[in-house]
Amino acid sequence: CSGRLTLMRPEAPPPVFGPPAPPVADPLRTGKWHDDVHPSLKELSKKVKDHVGEAGSIPFLKARKACKMSWQDFPQCNVTDDNGRKNLCLKFLLGRCDSQTCNLVHVRAKHLPTEIAEQLQVPMTKIVDKIVSTPRKGKGKRKRPPTESESTVTFSE
């Protein structure tokens, strides 16, 4: 990633001296799926959402490790936001960051340079392919053998 990409919100007030200002509220830091995905990543977002479901989270780190990939396999961008966060949140770029305390930058589709989105396609495709090739964990109650007190008892006459 060449140059410095700084994301500033136009409605942010000018800097003032004194105690630090509270963080700028971000309506997409909800932990829910969103549709603000760059066109170059939309197909990957749909694939992973279809696989993990509306309530599912994106097992990005687990998939990255399973692919034997490091963070150096992704484009390096010097990106910051107006709250001082650094580095791209790749889960957000796929449509859902479920971390309530994410300290990475949630870049909106309109602010993500197409060049970077295209550079992300190859490593993100490997991650998404790994995620969708991994069977989903079943929902509902865990299957386990009955304990002695739960065993079926039959009386015969």
Side-chain angles (χ1 to χ4, degrees), residues 17-97:
F17 297 99
V24 175
D26 182 347
L28 292 183
R29 283 188 180 266
T30 62
K32 296 179 181 171
W33 286 96
H34 63 83
D35 293 323
D36 193 2
V37 177
H38 193 278
S40 298
L41 302 173
K42 278 219 186 267
E43 185 179 322
L44 295 174
S45 175
K46 181 180 178 344
K47 265 175 93 171
V48 75
K49 184 178 180 183
D50 287 349
H51 181 72
V52 302
E54 190 68 38
S57 64
I58 303 172
F60 197 92
L61 187 61
K62 186 183 280 188
R64 182 185 60 82
K65 288 180 178 180
C67 290
K68 295 181 174 37
M69 295 173 70
S70 74
W71 293 117
Q72 280 63 47
D73 293 314
F74 295 87
Q76 303 301 304
C77 293
N78 189 6
V79 59
T80 58
D81 70 7
D82 51 356
N83 286 317
R85 297 181 190 101
K86 297 178 181 182
N87 301 317
L88 293 173
C89 177
L90 300 176
K91 289 172 72 169
F92 182 83
L93 293 180
L94 284 175
R96 182 178 188 203
C97 172

Side-chain angles (χ1 to χ4, degrees), residues 10 50 91-92 98 100 106 142:
D50 287 349
K91 289 172 72 169
F92 182 83
D98 56 351
Q100 298 301 312
H106 287 185
R142 185 180 67 190

